Amino acid sequence: MANKNLLLIFRNPPFSDSSNRDTLDIALACSAFEIPVSLLFLGDGVLQLIRGQQSKTLQQKNLLNTFNALAMYDIDQLFVLQSDLQRFELIAADLSIDCQLICETQMAKLIRQSDRIINL
Amino acid sequence: MIFSLLIYASQNSGQAEQTALRFSRSALSQGHKIHRVFFYGETVSAISNLKITPRDEIDITRQWLELAASDNLDLVVCIAAAVRRGVLDQQECDRHNRVAANLVAGFNLSGLGQLADAILSSDRLLTFGN
Amino acid sequence: MMSDTIFQTLHIINKTSSHSDLYTDCFKTLLPGDAILLIEGAVYSACGQQVCDLLKQQVPLYALNIDIQARGLTQRIHSQVISIDDDTFVSLTCQYKKSISWF
Amino acid sequence: MKREQLLSLLDDEGYLLDLSSWSKPLAMQLAELDNFQLTEQHWEVIEIVREFYQTYELSPAMRPLVKAMANKYGPQKGKSIYLMKLFSDSPPKQAARYAGMPKPLNCL
């Protein structure tokens, strides 16, 4: 019972609404409860991870800094679709945190293996 | 079956809360349990005593309270989301030195730990959002 | 064999098909054993030609009757879409191991 | 600083209202309010909490605090039991108060 794992899906670009921040906060909270957490950056969600964002120009906190803290919370299962990277003409090195690049079949498996999914 | 619900919607756009409320009534009437309803994000803005619902419209916040009263629902409002949107209970009102508390009685401010607990303690987690 | 192919993930969509990213992202995650439930604005997708993309996914397709009625679509729903009430909505979420909401 | 003056800088959980007003002497006064003596070991933790916040814009919860301690001071000090012995309250909360950082979110 206690070992339920949770998949959180990020689908929104930076500076869009509070869903990225809200989803990240769920990740940090659930890790404190020893819930194994995985993160999937889907579609526009991958834009959240582009290296070199200067949020200070908009007088906003840089959520990317907090994404970088995930490893300190033992959250290291981060996934990005290879096809989403291609769509935005990105390569893995453009992302500021290490993610596993997966294909659509692997993504479907990831969803199947997850016990709970939150997709804000 | 034990359910928990995560509500992530604005009362002014879409019908997510109405759907969640109908789902809850139906689940309870079938003998299922609802461990917790967790209000998160923009949803929390409307759980305020300062909100005025026109007389010829339904006040969905009242409907949650009615269901909570008849079926002992645990209605939890995310404290970080609430404070940021100006929805305060007496404790937060005092802490931040504000003029008045406005959280609707019957809802409780608490942290995301309550969502984590709901995930661990329930057979199903349903998200209703817009 | 059977247990592996039935009642896995219930995908709940609530937006119209104008939100095409939502639908394509959802479709990418579908596997045999999943089902799609259309609620709220998504019930328009159960009508006319729009339903073709959904039917191509080859998973059971449900739509919430109360939302169909509210939008005046009762006569327009495709015959392969199963119209359900709230009680069946609850039953579906019990039958499927988990749900994922697309909104 | 007088007790009343000191209290006016804090919220009712003892966290600094103005994060930029923090200084080492102020941290010591905050500890004195709790009748708590800050040793070299405590300062190491306070420093870690401040560095963590500067890097991640977030006060660390227990697990990341332990990890950050281990990364900097080695496995002996990178243990929750070490931190529990060092502080009287929850280590992430108490250290964040003396470090002049916001209350850690979702801290158990």
Side-chain angles (χ1 to χ4, degrees):
Chain A
M1 266 297 262
N3 273 335
K4 284 176 195 143
N5 65 57
L6 171 67
L7 176 69
L8 296 166
I9 304 183
F10 293 80
R11 280 188 298 118
N12 289 306
F15 313 116
S16 49
D17 58 17
S18 65
S19 66
N20 290 317
R21 168 92 248 172
D22 292 341
T23 307
L24 190 51
D25 284 344
I26 294 176
L28 299 180
C30 286
S31 116
F33 278 71
E34 311 283 332
I35 299 176
V37 177
S38 304
L39 309 183
L40 169 64
F41 298 87
L42 184 57
D44 287 351
V46 71
L47 302 172
Q48 184 67 59
L49 300 179
I50 292 179
R51 195 184 283 282
Q53 294 176 48
Q54 296 180 13
S55 64
K56 285 214 168 67
T57 56
L58 301 176
Q59 298 186 309
Q60 290 197 24
K61 276 180 86 168
N62 193 343
L63 206 54
L64 207 47
N65 289 335
T66 309
F67 273 111
N68 278 312
L70 288 169
M72 300 294 285
Y73 285 74
D74 291 328
I75 300 174
D76 52 13
Q77 297 296 304
L78 279 63
F79 301 94
V80 168
L81 267 190
Q82 180 75 56
S83 55
D84 281 332
L85 279 189
Q86 281 161 359
R87 176 177 149 215
F88 293 112
E89 300 177 34
L90 295 168
I91 56 169
D94 293 324
L95 306 183
S96 82
I97 46 179
D98 283 337
C99 294
Q100 299 177 47
L101 303 186
I102 56 174
C103 66
E104 290 174 10
T105 314
Q106 289 167 311
M107 175 173 72
K109 273 193 192 146
L110 175 67
I111 300 230
R112 172 137 305 179
Q113 286 159 3
S114 305
D115 298 318
R116 299 287 180 272
I117 302 171
I118 295 179
N119 180 22
L120 300 183
Chain B
M1 196 70 81
I2 302 172
F3 287 95
S4 279
L5 271 53
L6 168 60
I7 318 280
Y8 193 78
S10 158
Q11 283 192 358
N12 296 317
S13 55
Q15 44 171 137
E17 257 191 280
Q18 282 92 334
T19 307
L21 194 63
R22 288 201 330 268
F23 183 92
S24 303
R25 286 192 189 119
S26 177
L28 292 165
S29 76
Q30 291 179 49
H32 299 298
K33 288 199 164 55
I34 295 182
H35 174 70
R36 179 166 299 133
V37 185
F38 192 85
F39 297 85
Y40 195 36
E42 208 43 50
T43 326
V44 312
S45 300
I47 308 176
S48 160
N49 283 327
L50 302 179
K51 178 185 72 178
I52 313 283
T53 305
R55 276 183 206 157
D56 54 354
E57 290 178 25
I58 300 290
D59 181 351
I60 196 135
T61 309
R62 291 282 138 217
Q63 295 197 316
W64 281 116
L65 286 178
E66 283 162 25
L67 197 61
S70 60
D71 290 270
N72 207 13
L73 281 192
D74 186 20
L75 306 176
V76 174
V77 175
C78 174
I79 185 165
V83 168
R84 169 186 281 274
R85 291 173 176 81
V87 176
L88 310 176
D89 63 4
Q90 195 57 51
Q91 197 181 345
E92 292 306 303
C93 174
D94 295 342
R95 187 200 312 285
H96 300 280
N97 248 326
R98 295 303 153 113
V99 284
N102 60 335
L103 178 75
V104 176
F107 291 81
N108 297 308
L109 290 190
S110 193
L112 277 169
Q114 296 289 317
L115 177 62
D117 166 75
I119 289 169
L120 290 173
S121 314
S122 311
D123 303 312
R124 295 289 184 273
L125 174 75
L126 270 283
T127 307
F128 293 89
N130 59 31
Chain C
M1 177 66 194
M2 279 298 280
S3 65
D4 199 41
T5 53
I6 54 168
F7 304 153
Q8 290 287 339
T9 308
L10 180 66
H11 297 258
I12 304 171
I13 308 179
N14 78 343
K15 291 274 199 329
T16 65
S17 59
S18 310
H19 299 258
S20 55
D21 280 2
L22 196 71
Y23 283 75
T24 50
D25 285 344
C26 168
F27 293 166
K28 285 177 198 168
T29 69
L30 290 174
L31 285 175
D34 291 357
I36 294 175
L37 168 61
L38 305 170
I39 65 170
E40 304 170 6
V43 297
Y44 291 107
S45 306
C47 307
Q49 290 300 307
Q50 290 194 58
V51 80
C52 295
D53 281 343
L54 283 160
L55 291 175
K56 271 188 223 152
Q57 305 305 318
Q58 299 193 308
V59 296
L61 196 51
Y62 300 93
L64 205 51
N65 190 37
I66 197 166
D67 289 322
I68 295 169
Q69 287 176 345
R71 287 163 179 78
L73 302 176
T74 308
Q75 305 304 319
R76 296 171 183 267
I77 295 296
H78 189 277
S79 60
Q80 277 176 264
V81 177
I82 306 155
S83 168
I84 62 166
D85 61 12
D86 286 336
D87 286 349
T88 312
F89 182 6
V90 173
S91 307
L92 277 182
T93 60
C94 296
Q95 284 161 14
Y96 284 79
K97 279 189 187 165
K98 61 177 180 270
S99 68
I100 170 168
S101 297
W102 298 93
F103 56 87
Chain D
M1 206 182 297
K2 281 198 185 134
R3 186 185 161 81
E4 292 72 38
Q5 200 183 343
L6 202 53
L7 287 175
S8 71
L9 303 176
L10 307 176
D11 69 17
D12 70 349
E13 290 181 299
Y15 294 88
L16 264 190
L17 292 168
D18 174 12
L19 303 186
S20 65
S21 67
W22 185 87
S23 65
K24 278 200 166 190
L26 182 62
M28 284 190 271
Q29 289 186 296
L30 295 178
E32 275 168 34
L33 271 185
D34 302 340
N35 290 318
F36 195 81
Q37 195 68 43
L38 292 180
T39 66
E40 207 40 56
Q41 284 95 323
H42 294 107
W43 283 113
E44 288 177 352
V45 184
I46 290 170
E47 197 181 315
I48 286 282
V49 168
R50 289 186 63 83
E51 281 173 11
F52 192 99
Y53 187 87
Q54 270 146 30
T55 311
Y56 303 120
E57 300 190 11
L58 179 73
S59 296
M62 192 61 171
R63 191 201 303 232
L65 180 58
V66 165
K67 214 165 193 172
M69 285 295 290
N71 289 348
K72 185 146 181 185
Y73 298 111
Q76 293 299 322
K77 295 183 175 178
K79 287 200 175 77
S80 53
I81 187 82
Y82 171 80
L83 294 172
M84 306 278 254
K85 281 183 182 161
L86 213 48
F87 289 94
S88 52
D89 186 10
S90 136
K93 287 185 186 170
Q94 198 176 359
R97 278 198 288 119
Y98 301 154
M101 293 289 121
K103 181 182 172 180
L105 290 174
N106 318 305
C107 208
L108 296 180

